[in-house]
Amino acid sequence: MAVQTVASSTSGSTVDLGPAAALSCRECGHRVPLGPVFACEECFGPLEIAYDFSAYDTEELRKRIEAGPANIWRYAPLLPVPADVAGKPNLNPGWTKLVKADNLARELGVTGGLYVKDDSGNPTHSFKDRVVAQALEAARAFGFTTLSCSSTGNLAGAVGAAAARAGFRSCVFIPHDLEQGKVVMAAIYGGELVGIEGNYDDVNRFCSELIGDPAGEGWGFVNVNLRPYYAEGSKTLAYEVCEQLGWRLPDQIVVPIASGSQLTKIDKGLQELIKLGLVEDKPYKIFGAQAEGCSPVSTAFKAGHDVVRPQKPDTIAKSLAIGNPADGPYVLDIARRTGGAVEDVTDEQVVDAIKLLARTEGIFAETAGGVTVGVTRKLIESGVLDPTKTTVVLNTGDGLKTLDAVAGTGLTATIRPNLESFREAGLA
Ligand SMILES: *Cc1c(COP(=O)(O)O)cnc(C)c1O
Ligand SMILES: [Zn+2]
């Protein structure tokens, strides 16, 4: 893979990304200045944002956050964005509902408090608006004018919409056989949408090639060369969950895994809140959820392996269908370190779980939400998840985008417009 150093448009200039101080290698700790780079020049390890939070006073910070806008920018002091970010054209995602799911808790036998963090409430109806919002700010800072990505579906829509709002060009790449809801959602904002004959891993490989080629020069790939910034957006899920619980850590949190980025950054977000003194320092467990038809991380977890062997995805949970997840090994570390687990469910269990969540809580999840709810149920049944503890389950997308998954759900009866016909149908 080509390792891109600082783009010509940024050389010599310093960028203002608030508390972000540098990029730091997750493997060897090597530090480089903030720029559109994603791999360590020493060891090829992934780069992530290093911050300087030393100036913050805990109670002042808490007040500042609580007085902030009802979106992710309330956490701007903890994100790689300039202080005036809230005034820039952005979709302003986040601050989605944390639903106390008592009906679902009763069905699953959870007594310690069960919550659904419902990220279908974001502007393009998935959690991806959070990560794109960060990448957009980085793209602005580095002087990019085209936003791009490789996507399993939701990211393409989030990039298209963010680019439209911010006045960027967009050109995004998806596997050619995605759900219609995802394709329309990605195309409607007027950017270019390219279907690649292959699966997500092929799309991603192509984008890595494009970055190293003159054809991709000046392009900000939100999940490739802007990945360190993009990834930080997932921390806001952790921040919101804790603030919405009254500045408390959940005991257990169930997170879907595609590349694994979201799960690793939820852990990073929780760690930061502990270090900043915003929540009490106590143990929490992170559980990862996959679909059986694309379960490289849960397979490795169950086998006790440290490496993740790539798979060829075959599942209805297309938004999670990454067969070679970049953050897989880090997910394994986190699940093991926190005492969590990684589990998978069949497509049939995904559909059952989508229906269960809809029937009990009035939340229509996309297949990824079926995966987390299904895995939660399975982990309770197997005794791995403790039903007496406060548990948060993520729903990261909207069921309207994956209607085919629940095809056959429809009319109870068709009747003539009179009472006799209604009574005949047995509905009175
Ligand atoms: C992208 C995505 C995820 C998680 O992605 P990661 O690559 O693991 O960060 C989860 N749910 C949905 C609906 C998504 O689109
Ligand atoms: Zn390194």
Side-chain angles (χ1 to χ4, degrees):
M1 193 192 306
V3 180
Q4 190 178 313
T5 47
V6 180
S8 54
S9 56
T10 67
S11 58
S13 63
T14 52
V15 295
D16 170 21
L17 289 174
L23 290 165
S24 156
C25 174
R26 232 186 306 182
E27 289 297 323
C28 76
H30 178 68
R31 279 190 165 221
V32 293
L34 296 171
V37 281
F38 57 98
C40 176
E41 58 200 355
E42 301 286 324
C43 76
F44 295 98
L47 297 175
E48 68 176 355
I49 313 284
Y51 293 93
D52 181 6
F53 291 153
S54 59
Y56 293 147
D57 169 86
T58 304
E59 290 317 311
E60 267 172 34
L61 178 61
R62 193 193 309 277
K63 271 193 212 118
R64 188 165 150 199
I65 291 170
E66 287 174 349
N71 58 52
I72 55 171
W73 304 130
R74 66 200 284 108
Y75 306 108
L78 306 178
L79 295 169
V81 290
D84 64 348
V85 64
K88 302 200 171 140
N90 194 291
L91 293 174
N92 300 330
W95 203 244
T96 56
K97 287 178 189 154
L98 182 71
V99 179
K100 182 126 195 292
D102 291 341
N103 299 328
L104 180 62
R106 221 168 293 125
E107 291 251 353
L108 298 182
V110 177
T111 54
L114 180 64
Y115 297 81
V116 175
K117 179 62 171 167
D118 188 12
D119 246 19
S120 67
N122 276 310
T124 69
H125 306 275
S126 89
F127 116 93
K128 287 297 196 302
D129 294 314
R130 296 176 184 274
V131 282
V132 170
Q134 311 301 312
L136 174 64
E137 290 312 315
R140 249 198 271 267
F142 301 138
F144 292 134
T145 51
T146 298
L147 276 193
S148 186
C149 67
S150 53
S151 171
T152 55
N154 284 317
L155 185 57
V159 167
R165 169 100 181 102
F168 280 60
R169 175 183 175 227
S170 72
C171 180
V172 301
F173 301 92
I174 57 173
H176 66 107
D177 61 348
L178 289 185
E179 304 95 332
Q180 197 198 359
K182 301 264 171 73
V183 174
V184 172
M185 210 49 203
I188 197 72
Y189 305 105
E192 281 145 284
L193 176 66
V194 182
I196 302 264
E197 292 169 8
N199 61 31
Y200 173 81
D201 298 288
D202 299 314
V203 178
N204 202 38
R205 211 172 311 114
F206 166 76
C207 286
S208 296
E209 262 182 60
L210 185 50
I211 286 173
D213 190 271
E217 216 175 282
W219 288 30
F221 288 80
V222 301
N223 58 336
V224 190
N225 57 349
L226 297 175
R227 190 172 182 84
Y229 309 89
Y230 160 97
E232 294 296 290
S234 291
K235 294 193 308 182
T236 60
L237 267 168
Y239 299 154
E240 287 180 20
V241 164
C242 291
E243 187 179 350
Q244 289 169 323
L245 286 172
W247 294 109
R248 270 195 312 131
L249 290 166
D251 297 313
Q252 311 178 114
I253 181 162
V254 184
V255 182
I257 300 167
S259 72
S261 173
Q262 181 187 94
L263 188 146
T264 64
K265 297 303 170 182
I266 284 176
D267 179 59
K268 191 180 184 205
L270 296 177
Q271 291 293 323
E272 286 173 354
L273 293 186
I274 291 172
K275 280 193 205 104
L276 287 159
L278 288 166
V279 295
E280 186 192 351
D281 186 2
K282 66 167 184 103
Y284 58 84
K285 294 183 179 183
I286 299 189
F287 297 85
Q290 297 205 292
E292 188 184 271
C294 183
S295 52
V297 188
S298 71
T299 301
F301 181 86
K302 291 182 208 174
H305 295 159
D306 295 331
V307 289
V308 174
R309 191 175 308 153
Q311 291 182 1
K312 200 160 187 285
D314 180 15
T315 170
I316 57 168
K318 290 177 191 281
S319 57
L320 304 181
I322 298 185
N324 189 11
D327 287 291
Y330 300 108
V331 168
L332 292 172
D333 285 349
I334 290 166
R336 291 181 178 133
R337 167 168 57 73
T338 65
V342 187
E343 186 52 277
D344 55 82
V345 283
T346 65
D347 282 359
E348 203 186 333
Q349 289 170 319
V350 170
V351 173
D352 286 347
I354 290 173
K355 291 178 178 171
L356 173 66
L357 181 61
R359 172 167 67 73
T360 53
E361 299 298 340
I363 296 171
F364 185 19
E366 79 142 85
T367 45
V371 168
T372 49
V373 173
V375 161
T376 301
R377 171 150 73 180
K378 190 169 173 181
L379 289 174
I380 290 169
E381 281 165 5
S382 61
V384 175
L385 218 134
D386 185 344
T388 67
K389 303 278 191 193
T390 305
T391 303
V392 175
V393 181
L394 301 189
N395 171 40
T396 47
D398 193 322
L400 287 173
K401 291 204 219 181
T402 57
L403 286 175
D404 280 353
V406 288
T409 310
L411 300 176
T412 303
T414 303
I415 62 169
R416 293 180 302 282
N418 60 54
L419 287 170
E420 192 191 350
S421 182
F422 177 72
R423 283 197 194 94
E424 272 169 21
L427 296 166

